[in-house]
Coordinates of all heavy atoms in Angstrom, one line a residue:
C73 N 56.2 27.3 21.2 CA 56.0 26.0 21.7 C 55.5 25.1 20.7 O 55.3 25.5 19.5 CB 55.0 26.0 22.9 SG 55.7 26.4 24.5
N87 N 51.6 22.3 26.7 CA 51.9 22.4 28.1 C 51.1 23.5 28.8 O 50.6 24.5 28.1 CB 53.4 22.8 28.3 CG 54.3 21.6 28.0 OD1 55.4 21.8 27.4 ND2 53.9 20.4 28.3
H89 N 52.6 25.6 30.8 CA 53.5 26.8 30.7 C 53.5 27.4 29.3 O 53.8 28.5 29.2 CB 54.9 26.5 31.3 CG 55.8 25.8 30.4 ND1 56.0 24.4 30.4 CD2 56.6 26.2 29.4 CE1 57.0 24.1 29.5 NE2 57.3 25.2 28.9
C90 N 53.0 26.6 28.3 CA 52.9 27.2 27.0 C 51.6 28.0 26.8 O 51.5 29.0 26.1 CB 52.9 26.1 25.9 SG 54.5 25.2 25.9
K209 N 51.6 23.5 37.3 CA 52.9 24.1 37.6 C 53.4 23.6 38.9 O 54.2 24.3 39.6 CB 52.7 25.6 37.6 CG 53.9 26.4 37.2 CD 53.8 27.9 37.4 CE 55.1 28.5 37.2 NZ 55.3 29.9 37.7
G211 N 55.4 22.3 41.8 CA 56.8 22.3 42.0 C 57.5 23.6 41.5 O 58.7 23.8 41.9
S212 N 56.8 24.3 40.6 CA 57.2 25.6 40.2 C 58.8 25.8 40.0 O 59.3 24.9 39.3 CB 56.7 26.6 41.2 OG 56.8 27.9 40.7
D213 N 59.4 26.8 40.5 CA 60.8 27.0 40.2 C 61.7 26.1 40.9 O 62.8 25.7 40.4 CB 61.2 28.5 40.6 CG 60.5 29.4 39.6 OD1 60.6 29.2 38.4 OD2 59.8 30.4 40.1
T214 N 61.3 25.6 42.1 CA 62.2 24.7 42.8 C 62.4 23.4 42.0 O 63.5 22.9 41.9 CB 61.6 24.4 44.2 OG1 61.4 25.6 44.9 CG2 62.4 23.4 45.0
D215 N 61.3 22.9 41.4 CA 61.4 21.7 40.7 C 61.8 21.9 39.2 O 62.1 20.9 38.5 CB 60.1 20.9 40.7 CG 60.1 19.9 41.9 OD1 61.0 20.0 42.8 OD2 59.1 19.1 42.0
N216 N 61.7 23.1 38.7 CA 62.0 23.4 37.3 C 63.4 22.8 36.9 O 64.3 22.9 37.7 CB 62.0 24.9 37.1 CG 62.0 25.3 35.6 OD1 61.7 24.5 34.8 ND2 62.4 26.5 35.4
W217 N 63.5 22.2 35.8 CA 64.7 21.6 35.3 C 65.2 20.4 36.2 O 66.4 20.1 36.2 CB 65.9 22.5 35.2 CG 65.7 23.7 34.3 CD1 65.6 25.0 34.7 CD2 65.6 23.7 32.8 NE1 65.4 25.8 33.6 CE2 65.4 25.1 32.5 CE3 65.7 22.7 31.9 CZ2 65.3 25.5 31.1 CZ3 65.6 23.1 30.5 CH2 65.4 24.5 30.2
R221 N 60.3 14.5 38.9 CA 59.3 15.6 38.7 C 57.9 15.1 38.8 O 57.6 14.0 38.5 CB 59.6 16.1 37.3 CG 58.8 17.4 36.9 CD 59.4 18.6 37.7 NE 59.1 19.8 37.0 CZ 59.9 20.3 36.1 NH1 61.0 19.7 35.7 NH2 59.6 21.5 35.5
D225 N 52.0 19.2 33.6 CA 52.2 20.4 32.8 C 51.5 20.4 31.4 O 52.1 20.2 30.4 CB 53.7 20.6 32.5 CG 54.1 22.0 32.1 OD1 53.2 22.8 31.6 OD2 55.3 22.4 32.2
A327 N 59.9 34.0 37.8 CA 60.0 32.7 37.1 C 60.7 32.8 35.8 O 61.5 32.0 35.4 CB 58.5 32.2 36.8
G328 N 60.4 33.9 35.0 CA 61.1 34.1 33.7 C 62.6 34.3 33.9 O 63.4 33.7 33.1
A330 N 64.4 33.2 36.5 CA 64.9 32.0 37.1 C 65.1 30.8 36.1 O 66.0 30.0 36.2 CB 64.1 31.6 38.3
N331 N 64.2 30.8 35.1 CA 64.2 29.6 34.2 C 65.6 29.4 33.5 O 66.2 28.4 33.6 CB 63.1 29.8 33.1 CG 62.9 28.5 32.3 OD1 63.1 27.4 32.8 ND2 62.5 28.6 31.1
Y332 N 66.1 30.5 32.9 CA 67.4 30.3 32.2 C 68.6 30.4 33.1 O 69.6 29.8 32.9 CB 67.5 31.2 30.9 CG 67.0 30.3 29.8 CD1 65.7 29.9 29.7 CD2 67.9 29.8 28.9 CE1 65.3 29.1 28.7 CE2 67.5 28.9 27.9 CZ 66.2 28.6 27.8 OH 65.8 27.7 26.8
K335 N 69.0 27.0 34.1 CA 69.4 26.2 32.9 C 70.9 26.4 32.7 O 71.6 25.4 32.5 CB 68.6 26.6 31.7 CG 68.8 25.7 30.5 CD 69.3 26.4 29.3 CE 69.8 25.4 28.3 NZ 70.6 25.9 27.3
E617 N 54.4 26.7 45.9 CA 54.9 25.8 44.9 C 54.4 24.3 45.1 O 54.3 23.6 44.1 CB 56.5 25.8 45.1 CG 57.1 27.1 44.7 CD 58.6 26.9 44.6 OE1 59.3 26.5 45.6 OE2 59.2 27.2 43.5
T653 N 65.0 20.6 23.1 CA 65.5 21.8 23.6 C 64.3 22.8 23.8 O 63.1 22.4 23.5 CB 66.6 22.5 22.7 OG1 67.1 23.6 23.4 CG2 66.0 22.9 21.4
G654 N 64.5 24.0 24.2 CA 63.4 25.0 24.3 C 62.7 25.1 23.0 O 63.3 25.2 21.9
G655 N 61.3 25.1 23.1 CA 60.5 25.1 21.9 C 59.9 23.7 21.7 O 58.8 23.5 21.1
S657 N 58.8 22.2 24.1 CA 57.7 22.1 25.1 C 56.4 21.9 24.4 O 56.1 22.6 23.5 CB 57.7 23.3 26.0 OG 58.6 23.1 27.1
F673 N 57.9 18.3 28.3 CA 57.9 19.7 28.9 C 59.2 20.2 29.5 O 59.3 21.4 29.7 CB 56.8 19.9 29.9 CG 57.0 19.1 31.2 CD1 57.4 19.8 32.3 CD2 56.6 17.8 31.3 CE1 57.6 19.1 33.6 CE2 56.7 17.1 32.5 CZ 57.2 17.8 33.7
D674 N 60.2 19.4 29.6 CA 61.4 19.9 30.3 C 62.6 18.9 30.1 O 62.4 17.9 29.4 CB 61.2 20.1 31.8 CG 62.1 21.2 32.4 OD1 62.8 21.8 31.6 OD2 61.9 21.4 33.6
R675 N 63.7 19.3 30.6 CA 64.9 18.4 30.7 C 65.4 18.2 32.1 O 65.1 19.1 32.9 CB 66.0 18.9 29.8 CG 65.8 18.6 28.3 CD 66.8 19.4 27.5 NE 66.5 20.8 27.4 CZ 67.3 21.8 26.9 NH1 68.5 21.5 26.6 NH2 66.9 23.0 26.8
Ligands
LIG1 N1 62.2 24.6 32.1 C1 61.1 24.5 31.2 C2 61.4 25.3 29.9 O1 62.4 25.7 29.7 C3 59.8 24.8 31.9 C4 59.7 26.2 32.3 C5 58.3 26.6 32.9 N2 58.3 26.3 34.3 C6 58.8 27.2 35.3 N3 58.7 26.9 36.5 N4 59.3 28.4 35.0 O2 60.6 26.0 29.4

Side-chain angles (χ1 to χ4, degrees):
C73 272
N87 289 144
H89 79 264
C90 297
K209 209 186 168 194
S212 195
D213 291 309
T214 300
D215 269 10
N216 191 20
W217 302 110
R221 191 66 155 275
D225 196 343
N331 192 29
Y332 266 68
K335 192 238 167 193
E617 296 191 300
T653 189
S657 273
F673 70 98
D674 208 1
R675 280 170 284 167

